[in-house]
Amino acid sequence: MRTTSRVIGATKHIGVSRKRVEDPLMLMGKAKFVADIQLDGMLEIAFLRSSHAHAQISRIDLEKASKHPGCIKIYTSADWDTGVTTFQQHQGNLQPVYMPFFAGEKVRFVGEIIAAVVAPSRYLAEDIVDLIEVDYEPSPVNFDAEEAMKPKRREEELVHAEIPGNVYFTDRFEKGDVAKAFREADVVVKEKVEAARVSAASMETRGVIADWAWDDTLTVWSSTQMPYPLRTHIAHALQFPEQNIRVIALHVGGGFGQKCVFYPEEFILPWIANDLRKPVKWIEDRREHFLSAAHAKQMTMHMEVAMKKDGTILAMKCKTIADTGAYSEHPFGGLIDPCPGNAVLPGAFTVQNLQHETIAVLTNKMGIGPYRGTGMSGTTFAREMLLTKAARLLNIDIADIYYRNFIKKDEFPFLTATNQTYDSGDYHQVLDKLLKLSEYRKLKQQPRSLSSGRLRGVGISFFVEPTAWGSLAAEECGVRGITAHDTATVEMDPSGKVTVRSGQFGHGQATRTTLAQVAAETLGVRFEDVRVHEGDTDRAAYGMGTFASRSAVIGGGSVMRAASDVRKKLLKIAAHVMEANEADLNIDEGVVFVRGSPDRCMTVAELAHITFFDRFRRPSTDDVEPVLSSTRHYDPPLTYSNGSHFVMIELDPQTGEIQIKRIIAVEDCGTVINPQVVEGQMRGGISQGIGMAMLESLEYDKNGQLSNASFMDYLVPNALTLPDIECAHVSTPSPVTEGGIKGCGEAAMLSIHCAFGNAVADALSDFGILVPMSMPIGPQQVLDLIREAGTAKQ
C-alpha cells in the first residue's frame, strides 16, 4: 500500500492546519526568551515531520516546494545522511539505536523530521512544507511494548532491522536468597502495574537560533539544560573546533530533564547557518513538543512482594518492561527509566532479598528521555501499591509496615539490596512528623463515608531519593558510562567583588541565588557582592548542567571548594598586611578582623586592592601569587534525601470524581541553603506528581498516532486541582558531601503519586481491597475498581 502525504506532523489525522488555526492552548508557552532574539537577516525554519509511525519512504518530491517564491532552501537526508544524535555507549548487552537528524529511507514515529524548509518567515516556511510530497509505504506499527517483544517474521515489522525482537537491552540482578524468602512468606502479593507515558510539558517549548559569523565563529542559542555538553556535541557533529562555538542558554521556562536531551534541531540549525551564512531560527509549537520532545516513564512492572504476618518485608521481585520509543535519546538513552527505577526498589527498607529484571523495548513512538524522578516514579508506585494491598490483607496500617522495615538512624551508612550506599537519614523522625502534622491516625479511625455521599480517603508514602548525579551516582543508579562531574571558578576582582562561573544552568531552581549564597558564606562577603555567571559557554565554567537533583550538591560543592581556596589566600595576604596570626583571623560581611580584637580589621576590598596593585605591602609573589581566583572540580558520591507525603481526598463513588483536600510534605535534604527555594522545588514536584497520578497520559492509537497533542486534550494540574501545599523539614546533613548538602529536585515524583494511590484505596476500602495498579488514576479507573468489586461479590 502506498500513501501520499502533504501535511506536517499528525495534522492529517487531527484535521487542523497548524499554520491556519493556532488556538491559544497550542501557542501557550513557546520558547519566549529564544523567540525574542532578533538578528539582522534572520531566516526561519519549519520542519516536515512524518505523519506515519512506521513506513518506508519511497519518494520525496521537492519540485513544487522549491519553486515557491519564499523558499530559500530545503534540506533532507540527501544533504546530510551521516548525522545522528548520540555517541556510542557501552553497558552490558546494550545495542544503542541512533536517531538520525533527517529520516532517510524509513520513518519510525509520527513527528520524525524528514525535511527542513528555510524561508523569510515561519508562515512562509509552513506554506512551503505543505507543498512537499512524500510517498510512504506503511509497515506494521509496534504499539505495545509487550507485543513488540514477540517474535517477528519479517524484517519490516521491526523498528530497527538490526535489533531482533525489538529488545535492545536486558539485564538481570539478584541478591540474597529470594526463592527461600518467598517459600517462607506468610503473604505474597503479585500484580501487574502500569505507569503511563507522559511529557514534562514545560511552560515553554524548545527553541534554537544559530548564527555563523564573519570570523568563522558559531553562536547557538538553545533552550537546553546542558550548554557545555551541547557545545561539545555540536563540535563533534559538525567537525568544527569547539573553541569557536558559543552556546547560550537563556532563561528557560522549565526543563525537568526533557531539555537535557540533544535533539536533531540543535544540530540541524547550526549546520544550516554554516551552509547559508545567515542566522536561522526555529521555535517549537506545542504540537511539535508533544510529538517530538522526549517522552517519559511508560513502563510495565510485574512485581511480587513476600511478607511475614507482622508486616516484615522478606523479598521483592520486579520485571520491568520499558517502552522506550523508536530511538535511544542521547545522552542518557532509553535506560534512564528502567535502570534507576529498579535500583531504588528497596526504598527505605532493610529488605536484603531482591531480584529484578530490566527489558528495554523499541516501539514506534517518540523516544523516552529523563523527566523529574525518571523511571523511579514507576517502580516506587508499583512497590507502594503492593505494600498498600499487603497492608489490607494483613490488617496492618501501611505506616506500621514502614516503621517495622525502616533502616534505623544508627545503621547508616547502609548498603541496600541493590548495592546503593545510603549515607544518612532519620526515617522514623520524618514519618513521625508527617503523621503528627496530618493527624493521620485520627483520620484513619473515622468513617470513610461523608454526609454528602462522598468518600474520604487518606494516604501516605515514604521515599528515598538518590541525589547529586555525578559519575559515581549514575553508576550506582544503574546507568553506566556517564561522566557527570562539574567545575566552578570563583574570582575576586581588585574592588573585592566576586564573580562565580558555574557549569550549572538554572531554569527555575534559583541556582544563581543559591550559588551566590554559598560563595558569600564561604568567603565571608556580602551576598550582594557576588555575581554568578551560568548558561553561557563564553562566560561560565565547563560543567554538565542542571538536572537530577545535582545543582546544590555538585554546583554548590564546586563553588564551596573554589571559594575556600580564595578565602585561604585572602587570609594569608591579610595576615601579612595586618601583621597578625592567620589562625586568628576571620572574615564576615566583607571585613577581615582579628578574633577578640574587632578594631583590628580591614575590608576585603582594601585587601583585594593591595593584592593586585601594592607590591610593597602584599606578600612576596614567591609566597602568594597576586591572583584571587580558583577553579575546582567536584564529582561526589551519591547522597540520599528522604521524605514523606500525606494526601487527603474526597471521592464521588457515582462519578469517580476525585478532589484533593490536603497535601503535606516532610523532606530531609540535608543542609538547607535556602528554605524558600527548597519549598518551591517541593511544591513544583508535587504539582507534577499529582498530574502524573490523576491526569496525564500520552495516548497513542494502534496506528501510532498521538491523539492528544495539545493542552486541549493533554491535561495538566492547575490552581483548581491542588490545595495549598504544606511543607515541613527535618535535617540530617550528609557526611559525604561538601556542606552536608543533599538534593531535593526529584523527591515528590518518587512519592506523592503513591500517597494519592494509597488515599484512593483508603476511600474505597468499604467496597473491599481495591488498590489502583495503573496511572493515571482518574474517574474511569475508580468506577472500574468499584464495578470489579461488585462483580466479585456476585
Side-chain angles (χ1 to χ4, degrees), residues 145-362:
E146 292 190 87
E147 287 294 320
M149 293 166 56
K150 293 179 180 179
K152 301 291 184 289
R153 296 179 181 177
R154 296 175 296 166
E155 187 177 287
E156 68 180 47
E157 297 180 78
L158 298 169
V159 180
H160 294 269
E162 68 274 20
I163 308 293
N166 291 321
V167 174
Y168 67 100
F169 177 80
T170 59
D171 185 43
R172 191 177 185 280
F173 172 89
E174 184 167 342
K175 187 175 182 180
D177 195 335
V178 177
K180 180 182 177 183
F182 270 86
R183 286 196 304 271
E184 295 177 351
D186 296 318
V187 172
V188 172
V189 181
K190 181 178 181 181
E191 293 285 349
K192 177 181 178 180
V193 184
E194 295 180 296
R197 195 177 201 87
V198 296
S199 168
S202 52
M203 183 184 301
E204 292 185 358
T205 58
R206 298 180 293 133
V208 184
I209 292 175
D211 183 23
W212 210 290
W214 63 271
D215 58 352
D216 211 30
T217 58
L218 169 66
T219 302
V220 178
W221 291 264
S222 177
S223 54
T224 180
Q225 294 175 228
M226 307 173 74
Y228 277 99
L230 178 59
R231 184 186 71 178
T232 298
H233 284 261
I234 290 172
H236 173 82
L238 272 59
Q239 294 296 294
F240 186 71
E242 187 170 352
Q243 69 196 67
N244 290 356
I245 302 174
R246 180 184 186 185
V247 173
I248 303 171
L250 299 168
H251 297 285
V252 176
F256 311 114
Q258 190 181 50
K259 292 175 183 172
C260 61
V261 170
F262 299 146
Y263 295 96
E265 297 91 347
E266 292 171 308
F267 302 91
I268 290 172
L269 267 77
W271 174 66
I272 291 175
N274 178 34
D275 182 56
L276 298 179
R277 296 291 163 149
K278 290 274 191 179
V280 291
K281 175 170 74 172
W282 166 76
I283 304 298
E284 181 182 60
D285 69 31
R286 185 59 65 178
R287 183 169 293 143
E288 284 182 302
H289 182 77
F290 279 121
L291 288 170
S292 305
H295 297 168
K297 299 184 185 296
Q298 186 172 13
M299 300 194 304
T300 299
M301 285 77 54
H302 297 271
M303 190 164 184
E304 300 176 55
V305 176
M307 302 184 70
K308 287 288 190 184
K309 289 180 181 178
D310 64 1
T312 300
I313 303 170
L314 298 178
M316 296 181 186
K317 295 180 187 177
C318 189
K319 178 181 179 181
T320 300
I321 301 170
D323 182 336
T324 67
Y327 296 103
S328 189
E329 305 296 326
H330 190 74
F332 300 105
L335 306 188
I336 194 61
D337 274 347
C339 290
N342 281 339
V344 301
L345 279 168
F349 309 129
T350 56
V351 57
Q352 287 297 304
N353 302 303
L354 188 142
Q355 177 192 107
H356 66 68
E357 185 177 358
T358 305
I359 304 173
V361 185
L362 296 164

Side-chain angles (χ1 to χ4, degrees), residues 447-456 650:
R448 304 296 181 270
S449 183
L450 303 174
S451 59
S452 63
R454 301 177 71 85
L455 304 174
R456 180 173 58 201
E650 289 184 9

Side-chain angles (χ1 to χ4, degrees), residues 57-74:
I57 296 177
S58 57
R59 181 180 70 98
I60 302 177
D61 189 343
L62 306 178
E63 185 177 358
K64 290 180 183 178
S66 60
K67 289 180 180 179
H68 189 287
C71 181
I72 305 297
K73 196 166 183 178
I74 302 174

Side-chain angles (χ1 to χ4, degrees), residues 713-726:
D713 303 300
Y714 186 88
L715 304 180
V716 295
N718 57 34
L720 299 178
T721 311
L722 299 168
D724 185 36
I725 298 168
E726 304 165 53

